[in-house]
């Protein structure tokens, strides 16, 4: 068996790991976010039976949160701002394509009450046109800072929001891996629009799914999935590309926002 084939099999094994397990993992290699830079970050948690789930999210207005669709679980609650103030969610909307009903990994959550927190801004149309030229983006979450000697993901949990810069890389190998997979969740990702990041020192995990991927203090993506669910920094992470016109149009339509 060739080296590339072995690599693809290892990557696909990571993709198809149990969601209940994946959601407990964290970003590796983070640093405390500078004060005031990520006040819009939201900690999202929920319960599905007896299993506890955690995700991230971003305030895009005084009442709307942008996160990942797979973060929707029973009894979802949002903790907003640096003080992690508990706030009730009264509405959720997930992105579905017109005509075929295909679901994409984007979700909007509406808070019952307004916040006074400055929301994250979206890039302009001109800035989005240059998205493919980005070299580095920033990810964030309440994340493990450590990995084991063989790159196993750590289980520590910092009390402060962690940030990390990650280089933007090609998604070609990741897409090839998903094409070779027979798992329905993997195949569904092929029609979604995402870009990738990878580093030898930092990584995301699905426990921080939904968190904002930013550049120049503007949101370009949403943490969606990692190509390896057990070991950090060995495979690309995937971010939903919110610069895609149909995603931006959907956000405008659902929220009524005009500054997108």
């Amino acid at each position: 068996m060739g080296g590339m084939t072995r690599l693809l099999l290892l990557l696909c094994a990571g993709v198809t790991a149990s969601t209940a397990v994946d959601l407990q993992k964290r970003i590796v290699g983070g640093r405390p976010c500078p004060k005031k830079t990520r006040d819009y970050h939201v900690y999202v948690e929920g319960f599905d039976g007896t299993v506890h789930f955690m995700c991230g999210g971003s305030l895009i207005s005084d009442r709307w949160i942008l996160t990942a669709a797979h973060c929707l679980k029973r009894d979802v609650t949002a903790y907003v701002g640096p003080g992690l103030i508990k706030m009730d969610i009264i509405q959720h909307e997930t992105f579905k394509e017109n005509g075929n009903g295909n679901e994409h990994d984007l979700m909007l959550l509406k808070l019952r009450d307004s916040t006074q927190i400055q929301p994250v801004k979206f890039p302009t149309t001109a800035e989005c046109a240059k998205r493919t030229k980005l070299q580095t983006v920033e990810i964030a979450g309440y994340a493990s800072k450590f990995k084991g000697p063989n790159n196993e993901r750590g289980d520590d949990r910092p009390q402060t929001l962690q940030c990390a810069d990650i280089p933007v890389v090609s998604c070609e190998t990741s897409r090839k891996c998903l094409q070779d997979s027979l798992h329905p969740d993997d195949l569904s990702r092929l029609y979604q629009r995402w870009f990738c990041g990878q580093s030898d020192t930092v990584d995301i995990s699905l426990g921080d799914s939904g968190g904002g991927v930013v550049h120049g203090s503007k949101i370009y993506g949403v943490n969606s999935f990692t190509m390896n669910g057990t070991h950090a920094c060995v495979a690309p992470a995937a971010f939903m590309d919110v610069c895609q016109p149909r995603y931006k149009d959907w956000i405008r339509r659902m929220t009524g926002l005009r500054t997108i």
Side-chain angles (χ1 to χ4, degrees), residues 27-168:
I27 287 176
V28 171
R31 65 185 186 279
C33 298
K35 290 183 178 181
K36 302 296 183 183
T37 60
R38 283 267 188 168
D39 285 359
Y40 56 79
H41 185 89
V42 179
Y43 177 92
V44 179
E45 73 169 9
F47 294 90
D48 195 356
T50 60
V51 181
H52 172 263
F53 296 89
M54 61 171 287
C55 280
S58 301
L59 281 168
I60 59 172
S61 77
D62 62 339
R63 293 184 68 186
W64 284 100
I65 298 165
L66 179 64
T67 184
H70 74 261
C71 294
L72 181 61
K73 304 296 176 184
R74 192 175 1 175
D75 301 325
V76 176
T77 303
Y79 294 83
V80 176
L84 295 181
I85 300 171
K86 184 177 180 179
M87 301 190 73
D88 294 330
I89 295 167
I90 60 171
Q91 181 181 347
H92 72 270
E93 303 287 346
T94 56
F95 183 94
K96 295 182 180 180
E97 290 185 73
N98 292 330
N100 56 28
N102 285 338
E103 292 190 357
H104 293 231
D105 200 18
L106 286 175
M107 178 168 63
L108 291 163
L109 301 174
K110 188 175 184 179
L111 298 171
R112 181 182 304 277
D113 302 310
S114 298
T115 74
Q116 301 300 314
I117 297 171
Q118 183 68 36
V120 66
K121 294 181 178 180
F122 284 80
T124 64
T125 300
E127 289 169 330
C128 276
K130 300 177 182 179
R131 205 278 303 151
T132 57
K133 297 181 180 180
L134 292 182
Q135 296 183 350
T136 304
V137 290
E138 184 188 73
I139 54 180
Y142 288 94
S144 171
K145 296 167 60 177
F146 306 108
K147 57 184 178 181
N150 295 313
N151 281 12
E152 301 95 337
R153 297 180 183 276
D155 59 2
D156 62 301
R157 184 174 169 184
Q159 296 301 304
T160 57
L161 185 66
Q162 302 289 298
C163 285
D165 296 324
I166 189 168
V168 177

